Amino acid sequence: MPYAAQLSLQEAAGPTMEEVVFLHDHVLLLTCLMSMVITIFSITATTSMLTHNDPTEEAEQLEAAWTAAPIMILILTALPSVRSLYLMEEVFDPYLTIKATGHQWYWNYEYSDKTQISFDSYMLQTKDLMTGSPRLLEVDQRMIMPAGLQTRIVVTAEDVLHSWAIPSLGIKVDAVPGRLNQLPLSTSRTGVFFGQCSEICGANHSFMPIAMEAIPLNHFEQWLTMEH
């Protein structure tokens, strides 16, 4: 959950978000280093121009340096980025597949590969919230999944464009009518994780939250049995 005046990313709750945080810190470090080097070079060049009259128009070593430096910076940025994209896109032998369908303005979840469970998830009104429950984020039926196991989330929409997103898990996938998009979904711990539709989908766009609960595998199997 984010908190007031938060400037950093949400705490990673799964391997995908851990990759996002690593990439963010990596690129931020490179940006800081580049800013420092450019500042030093600017001060040095300005000072030398005031005290010396050495021409730099034909300095081959300087030209080679400012040509090679951007190339190295791009390589150092691209390699971890490509790795993160690959890990975020590939689904490796998922334990479970869940289909999320966006509607105006709620989500429907189907567990068709294990059982024939299907239910709608609506936002809870303020008057129905329990003490301590987050306003505009809690729902009447949470999406349930096993913690520590890879799950495949398949996302589509029934009417207009939606977007299924949970920031603490590093997940965001468009829900497009007539198209199925999939992403791997896994958590490193149990708990409840919240998100919201991230595509403007109409008047009640801000009132179709996502609440996903990760529970131990044995509890998940019991839940499947009871729901079925």
Side-chain angles (χ1 to χ4, degrees):
M1 285 286 294
Y3 51 86
Q6 178 176 341
L7 297 178
S8 61
L9 298 173
Q10 290 190 30
E11 182 182 357
T16 301
M17 189 57 183
E18 291 173 359
E19 287 292 327
V20 173
V21 172
F22 168 77
L23 179 60
H24 170 270
D25 295 343
H26 177 77
V27 174
L28 186 60
L29 176 61
L30 289 177
T31 304
C32 292
L33 290 176
M34 285 187 293
S35 300
M36 293 173 59
V37 171
I38 292 173
T39 301
I40 294 172
F41 280 177
S42 299
I43 295 174
T44 303
T46 303
T47 306
S48 62
M49 288 176 62
L50 294 175
T51 57
H52 301 83
N53 293 320
D54 296 335
T56 58
E57 288 81 359
E58 298 181 1
E60 294 182 358
Q61 293 181 349
L62 184 60
E63 291 181 0
W66 69 45
T67 301
I71 295 175
M72 292 302 299
I73 292 170
L74 289 175
I75 292 175
L76 291 174
T77 304
L79 289 179
S81 177
V82 171
R83 176 179 178 275
S84 297
L85 287 174
Y86 175 75
L87 293 176
M88 291 170 64
E89 293 290 339
E90 289 297 319
V91 181
F92 303 99
D93 190 24
Y95 169 79
L96 174 71
T97 298
I98 303 175
K99 181 181 179 182
T101 304
H103 300 261
Q104 289 182 313
W105 287 272
Y106 63 95
W107 293 95
N108 173 268
Y109 298 104
E110 297 181 24
Y111 296 71
S112 56
D113 60 344
K114 293 291 183 181
T115 60
Q116 297 301 316
I117 297 175
S118 176
F119 58 87
D120 297 330
S121 180
Y122 289 88
M123 184 191 76
L124 278 179
Q125 300 299 316
T126 303
K127 60 182 177 61
D128 299 324
L129 290 174
M130 297 179 63
T131 303
S133 297
R135 179 176 173 270
L136 301 182
L137 289 176
E138 189 59 88
V139 297
D140 57 351
Q141 293 196 75
R142 298 169 177 168
M143 190 192 92
I144 308 296
M145 64 169 285
L149 295 175
Q150 187 176 83
T151 300
R152 173 170 50 198
I153 182 74
V154 178
V155 181
T156 187
E158 184 69 23
D159 35 45
V160 299
L161 290 176
H162 300 277
S163 184
W164 199 86
I166 299 181
S168 61
L169 297 178
I171 296 294
K172 181 179 180 182
V173 55
D174 289 337
V176 183
R179 177 175 176 176
L180 295 176
N181 292 326
Q182 69 171 11
L183 278 181
L185 177 64
S186 60
T187 64
S188 55
R189 62 176 186 268
T190 59
V192 181
F193 308 98
F194 296 99
Q196 289 180 308
C197 176
S198 298
E199 185 73 36
I200 298 177
C201 56
N204 291 332
H205 158 67
S206 58
F207 303 112
M208 53 178 301
I210 299 161
M212 188 273 290
E213 183 175 0
I215 59 178
L217 178 59
N218 57 337
H219 294 177
F220 176 75
E221 292 176 343
Q222 293 175 7
W223 177 82
L224 284 180
T225 305
M226 290 187 298
E227 290 292 323
H228 184 66

